[in-house]
Amino acid sequence: MAQAALEHVNITVSDPEKTAQRLCELFDWKIRWKGSAKYEGFTVHVGAEDSYLAVYAKGTPGDPAAESYFTRGGLNHIGVTVDDLDAVEAKVKAMGYAPYNHADYEPGRRFYFDDEDGIEFEVVSYA
């Protein structure tokens, strides 16, 4: 039996087009699909050939949860691997985000940043 693989994660954001464009710039991803979605919403699928993030906004957005780590079923962070951690961190800073929680650990290096929707991204390099 073949091992299962994660295909996608669907997250709610304030502006799917803007979020998808930013992710393309940061991680050299591409837009795989975009269109109408449930609850009169709109979704953009952005990622690589074998996996992606579905970034979604419904017609009338609700308030974000105060702290995802205290919400059962909450999204804590999205981890993305990159070859050149320093280059991606420079892009993150150029976009106005503040990287934090840098760490060198076996087997790699990492940092985190929060986007304007409060979504925490962990950027990791094993290179």
Side-chain angles (χ1 to χ4, degrees), residues 6-10 29 32 44-48 50-54:
L6 181 65
E7 185 211 20
H8 77 273
V9 173
N10 187 317
W29 286 350
R32 297 167 40 125
V44 179
H45 293 181
V46 58
D50 58 351
S51 64
Y52 64 93
L53 287 178

Side-chain angles (χ1 to χ4, degrees), residues 37-126:
K38 68 189 305 182
Y39 305 121
E40 299 176 10
F42 186 77
T43 298
V44 179
H45 293 181
V46 58
E49 293 297 323
D50 58 351
S51 64
Y52 64 93
L53 287 178
V55 290
Y56 163 84
K58 71 178 206 156
T60 308
D63 293 329
E67 172 56 67
S68 66
Y69 282 89
F70 299 131
T71 303
R72 184 178 302 151
L75 173 70
N76 296 322
H77 65 260
I78 298 170
V80 179
T81 58
V82 299
D83 290 331
D84 189 338
L85 191 70
D86 297 327
V88 173
E89 184 172 8
K91 289 180 187 180
V92 166
K93 289 177 179 177
M95 290 182 177
Y97 302 112
Y100 61 91
N101 199 16
H102 294 77
D104 292 348
Y105 63 100
E106 187 58 39
R109 299 185 316 135
R110 70 161 189 245
F111 71 86
Y112 294 79
F113 73 94
D114 297 327
D115 76 359
E116 54 270 290
D117 288 314
I119 298 169
E120 181 180 64
F121 285 84
E122 177 184 5
V123 184
V124 180
S125 178
Y126 298 113

Side-chain angles (χ1 to χ4, degrees), residues 16-49:
E17 294 271 17
K18 183 177 175 184
T19 298
Q21 184 59 42
R22 181 180 61 252
L23 294 171
C24 286
E25 291 172 22
L26 282 173
F27 304 125
D28 295 325
W29 286 350
K30 67 176 185 167
I31 293 175
R32 297 167 40 125
W33 177 86
K34 60 183 172 178
S36 298
K38 68 189 305 182
Y39 305 121
E40 299 176 10
F42 186 77
T43 298
V44 179
H45 293 181
V46 58
E49 293 297 323

